[in-house]
Amino acid sequence: MADDNQMRYALRPMREPDIPQVAALEREAFPTTWPPTSFRHELKSSIARYLVAWDTQATEREVNEAIGALTNSQDVASLPLGLGKVGALVRRLFSRPAPPQPAEADLLVGFVGVWFMVDEAHITSIASKESHRGKGIGELLLIGATELAHLHKTRLVTLECRVSNTVAQNLYKKYGFKIVGRRKGYYQDNGEDAFIMSTDPIESPEYQRAFGDLRRQHSERWGVSSRYV
Ligand SMILES: CC(C)(COP(=O)(O)OP(=O)(O)OC[C@H]1O[C@@H](n2cnc3c(N)ncnc32)[C@H](O)[C@@H]1OP(=O)(O)O)[C@@H](O)C(=O)NCCC(=O)NCCS
């Protein structure tokens, strides 16, 4: 937590320049997801909203390094297989690295995606950067997603979660999610089942009270976060 009681990490809507970093966060957190999410498509979707957590104390150099590393690796990854790709790799091996560009983005440390369907807010994906876990960022993302759901006047927040993913389940249970169903063989990589988890109605006085307490505890523990959802 910062001395001035501000949380180091802040929340804002995802923008197009964030796509390479969010795609990298997805690859790190969900390495078996295939095909990868088309964030370009998601950003244009009328039912989807994405929030990113960013490091307010990252230096311009750190931002540039993170973005530069992704830009370099993506150039090669996006080429078709064959001589072009080999040629690009050879050029990379023998050429000087591209100079860092001025920061046009923030250093991202997490993201959450929400689809608004009928009267439900469905969390499609939530992840914090592996090196930054256990610092309240997962909670910050879930708080932001729930605030978004509140703004959209949805009745519930729902999601699916691997039955083996007890870390994520702990986070959701802390925020009042209950297991309300199970989808057999939901995950294609290993045939694992998914728990369907859901909150109680988020407008109910009980939920509002509990959510208010959790937000306050989060601020007391990690500092007051800047959240623009
Ligand atoms: C799940 C995930 C988003 C949590 O993010 P995080 O930034 O580490 O979470 P926080 O630091 O805010 O922790 C919030 C709560 O999560 C739970 N949690 C976090 N780390 C945990 C751990 N190592 N063991 C058990 N519970 C844990 C706890 O309930 C914790 O609250 P507490 O600190 O009061 O105990 C993160 O582990 C992640 O990105 N995992 C990979 C992607 C993933 O599995 N996403 C969920 C798909 S359903």
Side-chain angles (χ1 to χ4, degrees), residues 44-222:
K44 288 188 188 131
S45 161
S46 59
I47 63 160
R49 293 284 179 280
Y50 279 78
L51 300 174
V52 293
W54 59 284
D55 183 350
T56 61
Q57 292 175 22
T59 62
E60 194 172 312
R61 187 193 172 99
E62 286 169 327
V63 176
N64 284 330
E65 277 172 5
I67 295 170
L70 287 173
T71 311
N72 287 342
S73 60
Q74 278 210 341
D75 286 349
V76 174
S78 62
L79 284 168
L81 280 173
L83 283 178
K85 195 163 191 168
V86 174
L89 280 167
V90 170
R91 277 198 301 281
R92 172 104 355 104
L93 282 174
F94 292 101
S95 66
R96 292 156 64 90
Q101 301 300 307
E104 288 173 359
D106 301 308
L107 185 66
L108 303 190
V109 294
F111 76 98
V112 61
V114 187
W115 281 7
F116 292 95
M117 295 186 296
V118 198
D119 60 350
E120 290 186 3
H122 187 85
I123 295 183
T124 54
S125 195
I126 180 168
S128 54
K129 198 177 169 90
E130 201 169 346
S131 53
H132 287 62
R133 292 188 187 151
K135 296 176 187 290
I137 295 168
E139 250 183 86
L140 176 70
L141 293 162
L142 193 56
I143 290 171
T146 309
E147 288 173 342
L148 260 185
H150 184 72
L151 283 174
H152 280 75
K153 301 197 186 312
T154 56
R155 201 167 61 84
L156 304 170
V157 185
T158 64
L159 52 84
E160 275 104 13
C161 180
R162 284 179 193 265
V163 294
S164 66
N165 194 348
T166 50
V167 169
Q169 285 162 36
N170 285 344
L171 168 63
Y172 305 141
K173 284 178 184 165
K174 182 170 177 180
Y175 278 77
F177 285 76
K178 294 172 189 149
I179 296 171
V180 295
R182 186 171 179 133
R183 294 195 204 283
K184 283 266 167 220
Y186 182 73
Y187 295 99
Q188 286 174 359
D189 57 345
N190 62 354
E192 189 173 348
D193 294 356
F195 283 139
I196 306 167
M197 300 184 76
S198 177
T199 59
D200 288 334
I202 59 173
E203 296 298 336
S204 70
E206 297 76 26
Y207 190 86
Q208 284 294 310
R209 204 167 23 250
F211 184 60
D213 287 347
L214 285 161
R215 273 199 306 205
R216 194 167 46 253
Q217 287 159 19
H218 185 264
S219 295
E220 284 166 6
R221 183 174 175 191
W222 299 109

